Amino acid sequence: SAGIVYGQDPVDYVNPYIGSIGHLLTATTPDVQMPRGMIRVIPRTTPGIRDTYLAAKIYSFPVISLSNDFSAGLGTFSLMATTGDIKVDEAANASLFDHDMEMVTPYYYSVILDDYNIEVEYTVTDHSAYYRFTFPETKNSNLLLSGLQDSELKIIGENVVEGYQTFGKSRGMSRKLYFHSEFNKPFKTFGSWTGKEITSGVKEKAGSNIGIYASFPTTKGEQ
């Protein structure tokens, strides 16, 4: 549900965080989604904290695919931005954030990941999501894409990651959700992981709890 807040700026008319402190009901999340769109993007905050607004950390930015054949949205993959050495444990990659450095609307979201000094922005269309990351000056700015179960991820060329994730049966059917992800610059270094085992230079992974990472050297403010 959304609360109406009257103001001068159209952004002020809807507060997506109303309902995010759940008392009796499940807390809401600040979703970005087109009306009747197939893509919904949210920040995944500290697991186990029922009230999403009170969570101190962001763990990742999952892309959720919506389908009438399933009663709930299904996460196709998760995306996270970091700096420094590659880590694949979600808790180790999680970053503190401040609501004062966050902008939340039904059509656009931005936040500063305090631990990395990275600004994350995203919006959606009917069938896709657009992300923009603004990095600090560092030798290793990283983007990590992960799949949870029965997935396949592979790097195509110098700047594309494709893959799918398989979900259990609903109405007697299993479902593969595919994605195609393009980056606006070639990967400097890359690799993949299964569980906690990281393999540099490997372009393909299949199985559960897998992921692909790409790293770039960045200048201050590079996007």
Side-chain angles (χ1 to χ4, degrees):
S1 62
I4 304 301
V5 181
Y6 293 100
Q8 297 300 315
D9 191 320
V11 171
D12 294 336
Y13 281 86
V14 176
N15 180 357
Y17 263 127
I18 288 178
S20 59
I21 299 180
H23 299 289
L24 299 177
L25 301 176
T26 301
T28 62
T29 54
D31 301 357
V32 174
Q33 180 188 353
M34 291 282 286
R36 297 185 177 274
M38 291 183 65
I39 296 294
R40 183 169 72 208
V41 185
I42 62 172
R44 180 171 178 260
T45 53
T46 312
I49 296 182
R50 181 182 177 87
D51 301 326
T52 56
Y53 188 83
L54 302 179
K57 290 187 175 185
I58 289 177
Y59 273 54
S60 65
F61 300 93
V63 177
I64 298 170
S65 176
L66 304 176
S67 169
N68 289 333
D69 290 336
F70 286 76
S71 59
L74 303 175
T76 307
F77 68 95
S78 256
L79 183 62
M80 186 57 178
T82 67
T83 60
D85 295 337
I86 294 294
K87 302 185 293 289
V88 297
D89 179 77
E90 274 199 324
N93 284 331
S95 173
L96 292 167
F97 75 108
D98 188 334
H99 289 298
D100 289 341
M101 302 301 293
E102 182 186 43
M103 182 176 181
V104 184
T105 77
Y107 51 85
Y108 167 86
Y109 178 91
S110 70
V111 70
I112 301 294
L113 299 178
D114 290 342
D115 288 10
Y116 307 112
N117 193 26
I118 296 173
E119 181 182 16
V120 181
E121 302 171 90
Y122 55 75
T123 188
V124 298
T125 70
D126 286 332
H127 300 97
S128 61
Y130 284 87
Y131 292 87
R132 180 166 62 191
F133 302 91
T134 303
F135 291 100
E137 182 174 359
T138 178
K139 293 181 180 179
N140 292 311
S141 289
N142 313 310
L143 291 172
L144 301 96
L145 297 95
S146 59
L148 290 178
Q149 59 189 32
D150 196 5
S151 304
E152 181 178 291
L153 305 172
K154 58 184 176 180
I155 295 174
I156 308 294
E158 296 183 329
N159 69 327
V160 173
V161 179
E162 292 183 340
Y164 66 82
Q165 186 162 231
T166 306
F167 293 86
K169 290 185 177 181
S170 175
R171 301 180 184 178
M173 300 181 296
S174 61
R175 173 67 55 88
K176 280 186 177 179
L177 295 178
Y178 293 86
F179 75 91
H180 173 91
S181 176
E182 296 186 7
F183 296 72
N184 71 333
K185 63 182 295 185
F187 304 152
K188 179 67 175 179
T189 58
F190 58 84
S192 57
W193 74 87
T194 300
K196 295 183 179 181
E197 182 180 350
I198 303 171
T199 311
S200 177
V202 173
K203 291 187 174 184
E204 295 188 31
K205 279 290 180 180
S208 297
N209 297 315
I210 63 171
I212 292 280
Y213 70 84
S215 297
F216 316 82
T218 54
T219 57
K220 183 178 180 181
E222 185 171 348
Q223 295 180 329

